[in-house]
Amino acid sequence: MDALDIARWQFGITTVYHFLLVPLTLGLGPTLVIMQTMWVRTGNERYLRMVKFWGKLYLINFILGVATGLVQEFQFGMAWSEYSRFVGDVFGAPLAMEGLLAFFFESTFLGLWIFGWNRLPKRIHLACLWIAVAGSWVSAFFIIVANSWMQHPVGVALQNGRPVMNDIWAVLTNNTALLAYSHTIFGSLAVAGGFLLGIAWYHLWQRRRDGIDTVDADKRVIVGEAREIVGRDKADHRVWITSLRIGAVVAIVGFAAVAVTGDMQAKLMFEQQPMKMAAAEAACQTGTSFSVLTIGDVGATQNCDNVVGVIEIPGLLSFLATGTFDTQVKGVNDLLPEYQAKYGTTIPDSPVYGAQAGQSIQYVPVMQVTYWGFRLMIGFGILAAFAALVALWLTRKGTVPESKWLMRLAVFGILAPFAANAAGWVFTEMGRQPFVVAPNPTGIDGVFMFTQAAVSPGVSLGELLFSVITLTVVYAALLVVEVRLLFKYARAGVAAAAPELFEHDHDGDPGAGPGHDADGDRSGDVLAFAY
Amino acid sequence: MDALPTIWFIAIAALWIGYLLLEGFDLGVGMHMLFTARTDTERRVMLNSIGPVWDGNEVWLITAGAATFAAFPLWYASLFSSLYLPLTIVLVGLIFRAVAIEYRGKGTSVRWTGAWDRSIGVGSLIVAFGIGAALALTTTGLPINANGDRVGGAFAWFTGYAVLGGFAVVGFCLVHGAVFLALKTDGTVRQKANRFVTRWAPIALLPIVGWVLAVQFTSGRLSCLLLIAGAVVAVSWAWISARRGSEGKAFLGLSIFLVLGAASIFANVFPVLLPSTIDSAFSLTTSNAASGSYTLSVMTVVTAIGLPLVLVYQGWTYWVFRKRISDTNIPAAHTVVDAVRT
């Protein structure tokens, strides 16, 4: 273990963690926008309840994404100062744009949305949500632009050994970025879809278990109400079945688009980072076959000596890479000499590499990670998409089956798209190794950087150990707190998220908002919401 | 001589001043929640006075950091890596503080709210101290070598200036937070905040005055004395106004004090971004640490469009939430129970 390993572990842990939280924010945001827009347009209280309930869960999750995002911005400079010096001219700009053009909008208008219920006119309040959610999507774009530049540098020229930006438009419209962005956004929608589906399923199941909803001879739902449970009225059923359907549709659309964009990304990556894709397929030999199952010591030694393909489909790899069935796709064994010829066989003898200078360069990523990361991503994605389809069919008559196990499966299934997202990121970041800035094969010579050279030379192992342990412990503790809060508020249903809707006997006036009459003693109605 | 690095020096100084001005009172309010408030209602009045705006204010920090990365990557890399340990602790403070603000009201037990109150209070204290130390060090110097890397070990940053800067920002935030609470709340919180300002402001503001003067006397430009004189006038006016009960004037005066005082610091050190205490030849300046002029031009255009917009809509937020908050505005806490038939 040296400082480089610790710095990499820290970046991996903090980034994967951050990106467990962010996809839910990115995906749930637009569904909130739909719900509140429907409420403003139709006046149907069902949508108000939905936006209040899902909005509560959104905010519980949102804040941890904000908090852990700070670490992301700081640690480039803290742990990767040589990287920051090398790429700062081009990499800092999208980060600064993210702050100026996205985070300010997102945070300010979300604050207006949270505290603006009943203070702002309905339409302006709705517009605040639109702007906040748009801000989160724009922020995702800028950070993906930054990341994609590391995968495929464009828009720069080499000056005095450093890339200097000369075309911001090329950086912003990097084809790597546009595809990665759409892939990420659709992946996030899939996460949100599964989240809506799982929790809504739980509530429909709970209503059946409590004997509130029953089914007739045709298995059609007969909606009931439980007066002793706050919020368990007839309208409550509509909240959950609508949420479930929105969730299933969002998930299916998300997954379908993720598959399309993922396929396009793979084809691009075969051109831009051929070694990453060869490693993703454990394709040691040049050929056309796609590996369904490969055994052996896949890449523990980062070489091809022990890799044995068990099930292979001829032609499929070619199809995935190029769209034809017979193009030869270069395997690891043929790519390796090409990389060595282009980028050298040993780490350059330069002081920035410290003790690593002169060591041989390992161009093959850890294939165990790339091969299985790639498959887990796709596997979890397909699984969750299939589950969403089944869920739509099972609930076509207005409620869910009584089975406790199906309910547990639906709730547990929330995790699958999260896992697919995490696996995809681990794959693409580990697959970029040994480069922190991967070379552009058709681009500017010399604009690449080995990860060994990127770490802060002045920072000691002890400092890195302190931060990685501290952050991991803090993150773990806060994950427990967040998940428990999510469970608590998910189980409690709409009544906990919007108590003002149930404070007086509800007269069923669908257009009436919460607040004013519900809390007559709030002088001047300064706060419709309070921490 | 290219004007762009100078423009960006001013822009980053402005972002930091914006951060101290806005999150300054958030951090102060956070500390007062722990040290000044006595009841749960008082704490909630304080928390809700910053509730709608604190997250937007924190973006000033994110943007200051990212703009430093974009405009002066060498400054960003040297400063952040040199201050590895203190910034790690600042990050933990920021994390706990942010999460605590959101989660505090999501439970009702004394244990739950107490733990998050401590997170907000201690987190705010750590952040204020750490940011103050970092800013003081970038204006007074760190032991960095020719490559910009810190030498002398993990604690080489720990100097009298770090401590002075830490206390300077903590003290300023406490006063700024109290002045803000006096302006934005009513009832006992308002009384306590006013009492804090009139009693403690002269002492709490001493360290920040010390920092301003220390920079003035080590790298002094005579013209900056004008800024300092203006700051002294502003803070005197603020204090007199606070004693007279003119809370709006007190807030305005203290804000002018911060802007002029911090401006004097940045103007004094210009064009040095991070002095090296080993050899002044290793110091980072606007000319040797800046990005290329293309990048700076792009960022200038983006900022010229983005920042005025930010000022407009953040200003609008303060207008929307302009009313004072008092204990009668705080709704009772709701207990959250499972929607289940028992």
Side-chain angles (χ1 to χ4, degrees):
Chain A
M1 281 276 170
D2 56 13
L4 174 68
D5 292 324
I6 305 293
R8 285 188 63 193
W9 271 106
Q10 175 168 306
F11 203 89
I13 291 168
T14 52
T15 309
V16 168
Y17 186 94
H18 181 60
F19 210 75
L20 289 176
L21 309 163
V22 171
L24 189 58
T25 298
L26 291 175
L28 213 47
T31 64
L32 290 176
V33 164
I34 294 171
M35 291 166 190
Q36 192 168 344
T37 306
M38 289 297 287
W39 177 59
V40 170
R41 289 187 72 97
T42 66
N44 187 333
E45 198 200 271
R46 180 204 322 173
Y47 296 110
L48 176 63
R49 290 189 186 192
M50 284 167 67
V51 79
K52 288 266 183 177
F53 174 78
W54 297 109
K56 190 67 115 184
L57 301 187
Y58 176 85
L59 293 174
I60 291 171
N61 177 68
F62 176 82
I63 193 63
L64 209 48
V66 169
T68 56
L70 289 160
V71 176
Q72 296 307 100
E73 185 198 273
F74 275 49
Q75 71 177 327
F76 292 119
M78 288 167 63
W80 303 95
S81 63
E82 281 300 317
Y83 169 79
S84 302
R85 290 184 182 118
F86 181 69
V87 303
D89 197 279
V90 57
F91 190 85
L95 259 56
M97 290 182 193
E98 188 185 24
L100 273 168
L101 303 178
F103 286 152
F104 268 126
F105 279 102
E106 186 182 16
S107 300
T108 309
F109 284 94
L110 200 65
L112 280 160
W113 181 71
I114 299 170
F115 283 83
W117 288 98
N118 303 328
R119 278 202 64 78
L120 293 165
K122 261 190 200 175
R123 280 169 193 281
I124 291 179
H125 183 248
L126 173 64
C128 290
L129 180 64
W130 275 83
I131 295 170
V133 171
S136 71
W137 277 40
V138 173
S139 81
F141 175 73
F142 283 119
I143 199 67
I144 295 274
V145 161
N147 175 270
S148 294
W149 191 87
M150 300 164 74
Q151 311 280 355
H152 187 65
V154 292
V156 292
L158 202 65
Q159 274 177 25
N160 302 326
R162 289 206 173 94
V164 173
M165 185 158 71
N166 58 18
D167 189 352
I168 181 72
W169 190 244
V171 174
L172 293 175
T173 59
N174 188 350
N175 53 9
T176 320
L178 299 180
L179 281 175
Y181 178 64
S182 33
H183 195 62
T184 306
I185 284 290
F186 289 123
S188 302
L189 286 172
V191 165
F195 189 78
L196 289 169
L197 176 71
I199 294 170
W201 188 294
Y202 161 78
H203 276 285
L204 288 168
W205 174 83
Q206 189 66 49
R207 287 177 63 94
R208 289 204 67 183
R209 202 194 77 116
D210 286 346
I212 300 167
D213 296 339
T214 48
V215 293
D216 63 13
D218 283 344
K219 304 265 176 152
R220 289 201 169 280
V221 66
I222 303 166
V223 177
E225 60 183 329
R227 289 191 171 273
E228 78 278 17
I229 308 173
V230 181
R232 277 290 193 241
D233 51 13
K234 287 190 173 177
D236 185 56
H237 170 266
R238 301 301 306 168
V239 167
W240 303 121
I241 193 73
T242 310
S243 296
L244 186 144
R245 286 178 179 151
I246 291 177
V249 170
V250 166
I252 292 164
V253 170
F255 282 120
V258 150
V260 173
T261 52
D263 175 62
M264 292 162 76
Q265 256 189 311
K267 288 184 168 54
L268 193 64
M269 224 178 267
F270 272 110
E271 293 169 23
Q272 296 179 344
Q273 297 180 66
M275 186 64 94
K276 183 195 281 187
M277 288 313 292
E281 303 298 354
C284 285
Q285 313 301 333
T286 297
T288 67
S289 300
F290 175 80
S291 150
V292 177
L293 178 66
T294 294
I295 58 157
D297 196 5
V298 183
T301 51
Q302 287 174 262
N303 67 40
C304 277
D305 296 347
N306 295 312
V307 175
V308 185
V310 178
I311 308 171
E312 292 186 336
I313 304 173
L316 186 56
L317 183 61
S318 287
F319 182 70
L320 289 176
T322 64
T324 66
F325 287 97
D326 47 10
T327 313
Q328 294 288 308
V329 177
K330 276 186 186 161
V332 170
N333 289 340
D334 284 337
L335 287 168
L336 199 51
E338 288 181 17
Y339 272 71
Q340 285 169 339
K342 262 187 176 165
Y343 311 115
T345 52
T346 56
I347 302 274
D349 204 13
S350 148
V352 297
Y353 293 100
Q356 310 256 2
Q359 291 180 8
S360 65
I361 302 167
Q362 186 52 264
Y363 282 108
V364 187
V366 183
M367 274 200 276
Q368 238 155 7
V369 173
T370 53
Y371 181 83
W372 289 111
F374 196 59
R375 272 149 191 74
L376 284 177
M377 169 182 78
I378 295 170
F380 278 123
I382 291 174
L383 200 73
F386 179 71
L389 273 173
V390 172
L392 265 189
W393 188 78
L394 285 175
T395 56
R396 69 198 180 283
K397 290 183 177 172
T399 191
V400 299
E402 275 182 298
S403 159
K404 189 170 191 172
W405 283 103
L406 270 180
M407 181 278 288
R408 285 183 173 164
L409 204 63
V411 172
F412 199 63
I414 291 173
L415 295 178
F418 281 100
N421 267 284
W425 276 107
V426 169
F427 154 67
T428 201
E429 298 301 292
M430 293 281 286
R432 194 187 56 223
Q433 303 302 326
F435 299 104
V436 64
V437 178
N440 179 340
T442 58
I444 323 94
D445 284 338
V447 178
F448 63 88
M449 187 183 212
F450 292 114
T451 308
Q452 283 99 326
V455 75
S456 297
V459 174
S460 64
L461 181 65
E463 287 169 278
L464 282 157
L465 277 173
F466 172 76
S467 64
V468 75
I469 293 169
T470 307
L471 289 173
T472 306
V473 170
V474 167
Y475 279 22
L478 290 178
L479 190 65
V480 172
V481 175
E482 183 196 326
V483 170
R484 286 174 67 168
L485 271 183
L486 285 175
F487 265 97
K488 175 174 160 179
Y489 276 89
R491 279 210 194 98
V494 180
E500 67 275 10
L501 290 176
F502 305 98
E503 269 169 1
H504 291 308
D505 267 345
H506 202 63
D507 59 10
D509 176 7
H516 295 286
D517 54 341
D519 252 306
D521 57 337
R522 271 185 218 162
S523 55
D525 199 19
V526 176
L527 287 178
F529 168 85
Y531 278 132
Chain B
M1 177 72 194
D2 197 351
L4 281 167
T6 305
I7 291 172
W8 271 92
F9 180 85
I10 295 168
I12 285 165
L15 287 168
W16 280 116
I17 292 171
Y19 174 71
L20 292 175
L21 195 61
L22 294 171
E23 189 150 89
F25 59 72
D26 292 348
L27 295 171
V29 169
M31 288 186 266
H32 285 300
M33 275 181 71
L34 193 58
F35 304 122
T36 309
R38 285 290 167 268
T39 66
D40 185 61
T41 309
E42 284 180 0
R43 293 196 181 94
R44 289 186 68 196
V45 167
M46 289 183 179
L47 182 58
N48 282 289
S49 72
I50 58 167
V53 294
W54 75 271
D55 193 18
N57 292 344
E58 199 160 281
V59 180
W60 286 82
L61 173 67
I62 299 173
T63 306
T68 308
F69 195 177
F72 301 105
L74 302 193
W75 184 18
Y76 168 78
S78 291
L79 184 65
F80 280 54
S81 62
S82 296
L83 302 178
Y84 195 90
L85 283 183
L87 287 183
T88 302
I89 294 171
V90 165
L91 284 172
V92 173
L94 283 165
I95 292 170
F96 269 104
R97 184 174 162 276
V99 171
I101 290 174
E102 185 65 36
Y103 287 0
R104 185 195 188 278
K106 303 249 175 329
T108 46
S109 74
V110 176
R111 205 171 138 239
W112 175 270
T113 54
W116 294 122
D117 285 338
R118 283 189 291 280
S119 299
I120 295 172
V122 177
S124 301
L125 178 67
I126 287 172
V127 173
F129 194 92
I131 296 290
L135 288 176
L137 288 169
T138 201
T139 53
T140 56
L142 281 165
I144 56 169
N145 61 22
N147 191 46
D149 299 319
R150 180 202 64 209
V151 292
F155 293 94
W157 53 272
F158 191 77
T159 62
Y161 280 123
V163 177
L164 177 68
F167 279 119
V169 174
V170 169
F172 168 75
C173 289
L174 280 169
V175 179
H176 199 41
V179 170
F180 177 82
L181 285 172
L183 183 64
K184 290 290 297 175
T185 68
D186 217 340
T188 55
V189 173
R190 184 181 179 184
Q191 289 164 10
K192 287 183 179 180
N194 272 319
R195 207 179 312 144
F196 182 91
V197 176
T198 48
R199 197 174 289 175
W200 295 107
I203 294 167
L205 293 175
L206 273 183
I208 196 167
V209 174
W211 174 20
V212 167
L213 293 179
V215 173
Q216 177 66 35
F217 287 125
T218 48
S219 55
R221 285 189 164 87
L222 222 48
S223 50
C224 291
L225 281 171
L226 275 176
L227 291 170
I228 295 175
V232 171
V233 171
V235 77
S236 312
W237 179 56
W239 196 57
I240 293 165
S241 301
R243 291 181 70 95
R244 283 184 185 154
S246 300
E247 289 145 345
K249 285 176 187 167
F251 185 81
L252 185 65
L254 193 65
S255 302
I256 295 171
F257 162 73
L258 177 85
V259 172
L260 294 180
S264 83
I265 292 173
F266 283 110
N268 262 322
V269 297
F270 177 82
V272 178
L273 306 169
L274 174 57
S276 169
T277 52
I278 298 174
D279 184 341
S280 61
F282 302 155
S283 295
L284 299 176
T285 67
T286 52
S287 46
N288 69 14
S291 289
S293 47
Y294 178 83
T295 299
L296 292 180
S297 310
V298 169
M299 290 310 303
T300 305
V301 173
V302 170
T303 309
I305 297 166
L307 203 57
L309 267 178
V310 171
L311 294 175
V312 168
Y313 61 71
Q314 285 205 336
W316 180 61
T317 310
Y318 287 94
W319 173 252
V320 169
F321 300 107
R322 65 193 174 281
K323 286 188 184 163
R324 285 179 186 271
I325 293 169
S326 69
D327 43 10
T328 54
N329 302 125
I330 300 295
H334 290 279
T335 47
V336 176
V337 288
D338 289 2
V340 178
R341 189 170 266 168
T342 44

